[in-house]
């Protein structure tokens, strides 16, 4: 029920922007799948899924304030928007903080300190590569630099590199 409530709130937060809504739902699906295939414990799986749902919470605000939602702007604004958003849900402080950490850094590829953050990066890229029309060279480069999970790598290959 928690995930469904959070999804509904994020749909509302995105003010009818179908692209943003479809984006976070696809990232959620990939992150959930990778987490399950990687055998995450239930708490980490929940964190991955909740972080994926809210990972672009700052996009509407950034578009309004900066005229774009660059990764840098998203990272700058995410934490301040996430705290009141997450306060409405019954989550422990530990879980809230662990959702905030990868979301506030989901365009930072160094210093990744857990599978939850790693999986969020990989799931977001799986969607962004399609939406942005990334070429094979960019995809291979990103795989080398960022992808670490076997499941994420398999999905990347099956989606973009197996042709």
């Amino acid at each position: 029920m928690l995930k469904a409530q959070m999804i509904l709130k994020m749909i509302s937060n995105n003010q009818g922007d179908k692209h943003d809504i479809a984006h976070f739902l696809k990232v959620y699906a990939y992150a959930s799948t990778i987490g399950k295939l990687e055998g995450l414990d239930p708490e980490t799986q929940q964190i991955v899924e909740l972080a994926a749902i809210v990972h672009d919470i700052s996009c509407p605000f950034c578009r309004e304030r900066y005229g774009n939602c660059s990764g840098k702007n998203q990272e700058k604004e995410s934490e301040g928007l996430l705290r009141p958003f997450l306060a409405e849900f019954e989550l422990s402080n530990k879980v809230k903080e662990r959702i905030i950490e990868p979301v506030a850094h989901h365009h930072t590829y160094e210093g990744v300190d857990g599978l939850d953050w790693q999986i969020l990066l990989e799931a977001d890229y799986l969607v962004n590569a399609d939406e942005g029309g990334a070429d094979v060279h960019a995809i291979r480069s990103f795989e080398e630099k960022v992808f670490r999970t076997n499941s994420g790598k398999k999905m990347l290959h099956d989606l973009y590199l197996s042709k």
Side-chain angles (χ1 to χ4, degrees):
M1 186 65 141
L2 171 67
K3 287 177 247 182
Q5 291 170 330
M6 198 172 282
I7 287 169
L8 189 60
K9 184 165 172 131
M10 277 299 293
I11 288 171
S12 178
N13 185 68
N14 279 290
Q15 306 164 340
D17 187 319
K18 291 173 187 65
H19 173 269
D20 283 0
I21 294 164
H23 175 86
F24 87 75
L25 289 171
K26 289 185 276 187
V27 172
Y28 165 70
Y30 283 140
S32 178
T33 302
I34 294 169
K36 288 174 184 172
L37 290 170
E38 293 297 314
L40 297 181
D41 63 86
E43 182 179 72
T44 306
Q45 181 71 28
Q46 179 186 44
I47 290 167
V48 163
E49 291 176 358
L50 297 177
I53 291 166
V54 300
H55 80 281
D56 278 347
I57 191 168
S58 64
C59 283
F61 178 83
C62 288
R63 274 191 210 96
E64 186 176 308
R65 182 172 207 178
Y66 305 108
N68 68 70
C69 53
S70 71
K72 183 177 179 178
N73 289 339
Q74 287 181 55
E75 289 187 343
K76 180 179 172 182
E77 302 296 346
S78 289
E79 184 174 350
L81 295 168
L82 272 171
R83 289 199 181 281
F85 182 95
L86 294 175
E88 296 181 31
F89 298 95
E90 290 189 32
L91 296 165
S92 71
N93 285 335
K94 176 185 170 192
V95 169
K96 286 178 190 175
E97 293 304 316
R98 195 54 207 176
I99 291 168
I100 291 168
E101 181 67 20
V103 171
H105 299 95
H106 77 277
H107 290 280
T108 300
Y109 308 114
E110 300 86 31
V112 176
D113 70 354
L115 269 178
D116 49 3
W117 185 354
Q118 181 63 43
I119 290 169
L120 180 61
L121 294 176
E122 292 179 11
D124 195 32
Y125 186 77
L126 288 169
V127 178
N128 286 336
D130 179 47
E131 292 175 352
D135 67 34
V136 171
H137 298 294
I139 292 168
R140 287 188 194 282
S141 176
F142 200 87
E143 177 189 22
E144 269 182 36
K145 293 175 185 167
V146 178
F147 274 67
R148 300 288 174 263
T149 70
N150 290 330
S151 305
K153 288 178 184 181
K154 174 145 180 44
M155 291 173 84
L156 185 75
H157 279 260
D158 288 349
L159 287 165
Y160 302 110
L161 302 173
S162 64
K163 295 179 182 181

